Amino acid sequence: MQPFYFPAHLVCIISANNFYKMMKRLPFIVLLTFTVPVFCWAQSDSSAKAAAAIVKSNAEVEKKAAEWSAGLKLPDAEKEKRVTAAITTHLKTIRDWNNEHPASTVPAGINPATGNKLSDMDRQIIANSAMPATVHKDLMDALNKDLTPEQVEYILDQYTIGKVAFTMKGYKAIVTDLKPEEESKILEYLKQAREQAIDYKSIKQVSAIFEIYKTKCEQYLNSNGRNWHELFKAYVNKVKAEKAAAGKK
């Protein structure tokens, strides 16, 4: 018997719909023959991309840690290596924790202090705050072992892009007659914010942590005989007036 060949011109006129119907009639095991290789290829491709992303991220983290350590200008090369290694480990750990514990892992609900619905940022902050305390302690122990207090502060400022100095400058601009004891208390709160904020991945999360302590600063000023709302309003009006005057020149 001669083998049967499906005419080429008929193949061309088989519609996608007819092909789909034919596929539906195929036994399940035959369908697997078509689909499994495609699925495996897609999975392999996804895994390769994920691996490449981690390699790239690791390189960026290592570069950042090295730059921060180099900024200290330590005369001891071995000490610089230890500091770099501690920062690298910490940055990778908070990155991985953040990625493995998205906001969706925290149930939706309300903030019991305000009654407001938890935002995605709130839920992410909650998820990240559950990271083991040893992650923070290991970094601080390593830094304090090899660095002076001033050098440790320098590293913490790198993590938080200098938010302590920037925020303090803002308070001094708003409260022009800030007393030494007020400045000291505000600085204390901001340094607390800075150390807590280093355990969060993005600058938006860092800013969210600082907002917690800025609220404490403003409550402190109010309890110390200040009216933060009025002070801030006067400052905004002053800035607007200065911009308007500059625009007329």
Side-chain angles (χ1 to χ4, degrees), residues 79 82-87 89-90 132-149 151-153 155-156 159 195 198-199:
K79 184 180 290 188
R82 290 195 296 270
V83 170
T84 300
I87 296 171
T89 297
H90 181 257
T134 51
V135 175
H136 181 88
K137 184 177 184 302
D138 288 347
L139 172 69
M140 296 307 297
D141 285 350
L143 295 181
N144 287 318
K145 181 180 179 180
D146 278 323
L147 304 177
T148 66
Q151 290 171 331
V152 171
E153 289 203 36
I155 294 298
L156 301 187
Y159 271 90
E195 185 168 340
I198 67 171
D199 294 327

Side-chain angles (χ1 to χ4, degrees), residues 12-201:
C12 296
I13 63 173
I14 293 178
S15 67
N17 187 51
N18 288 336
F19 178 76
Y20 175 70
K21 290 178 180 178
M22 289 169 60
M23 289 293 288
K24 287 180 68 177
R25 297 191 189 100
L26 289 174
F28 179 70
I29 190 65
V30 176
L31 287 177
L32 284 179
T33 303
F34 283 96
T35 59
V36 169
V38 175
F39 173 76
C40 292
W41 175 83
Q43 191 175 42
S44 176
D45 184 59
S46 177
S47 298
K49 287 181 178 179
I54 286 294
V55 169
K56 180 181 178 182
S57 178
N58 283 345
E60 291 171 350
V61 165
E62 290 160 8
K63 179 182 177 183
K64 183 184 294 186
E67 288 175 348
W68 292 356
S69 297
L72 293 167
K73 295 179 172 58
L74 298 173
D76 187 333
E78 290 303 313
K79 184 180 290 188
E80 182 175 326
K81 285 181 181 178
R82 290 195 296 270
V83 170
T84 300
I87 296 171
T88 299
T89 297
H90 181 257
L91 286 173
K92 288 180 179 179
T93 302
I94 61 175
R95 176 203 64 196
D96 293 344
W97 182 275
N98 182 90
N99 294 345
E100 293 164 8
H101 299 78
S104 58
T105 59
V106 176
I110 64 169
N111 182 330
T114 64
N116 296 331
K117 182 179 178 181
L118 291 174
S119 65
D120 287 342
M121 177 60 72
D122 292 333
R123 294 165 73 186
Q124 187 64 66
I125 292 293
I126 292 170
N128 288 356
S129 68
M131 186 171 64
T134 51
V135 175
H136 181 88
K137 184 177 184 302
D138 288 347
L139 172 69
M140 296 307 297
D141 285 350
L143 295 181
N144 287 318
K145 181 180 179 180
D146 278 323
L147 304 177
T148 66
E150 293 75 21
Q151 290 171 331
V152 171
E153 289 203 36
Y154 171 84
I155 294 298
L156 301 187
D157 280 333
Q158 303 313 301
Y159 271 90
T160 56
I161 60 171
K163 274 188 170 291
V164 168
F166 177 81
T167 309
M168 177 56 79
K169 183 179 179 181
Y171 279 118
K172 288 182 177 180
I174 296 168
V175 188
T176 54
D177 60 342
L178 198 65
K179 299 174 183 177
E181 62 270 21
E182 291 174 326
E183 181 176 347
S184 177
K185 188 63 178 179
I186 290 173
L187 186 59
E188 177 187 333
Y189 279 137
L190 295 181
K191 287 186 176 182
Q192 288 176 10
R194 177 180 63 188
E195 185 168 340
Q196 186 173 352
I198 67 171
D199 294 327
Y200 293 82
K201 181 186 176 186

Side-chain angles (χ1 to χ4, degrees), residues 160 163-164 190 193-194 197 206-214:
T160 56
K163 274 188 170 291
V164 168
L190 295 181
R194 177 180 63 188
V206 168
S207 296
I209 297 299
F210 267 81
E211 285 300 321
I212 296 171
Y213 288 87
K214 285 167 67 177

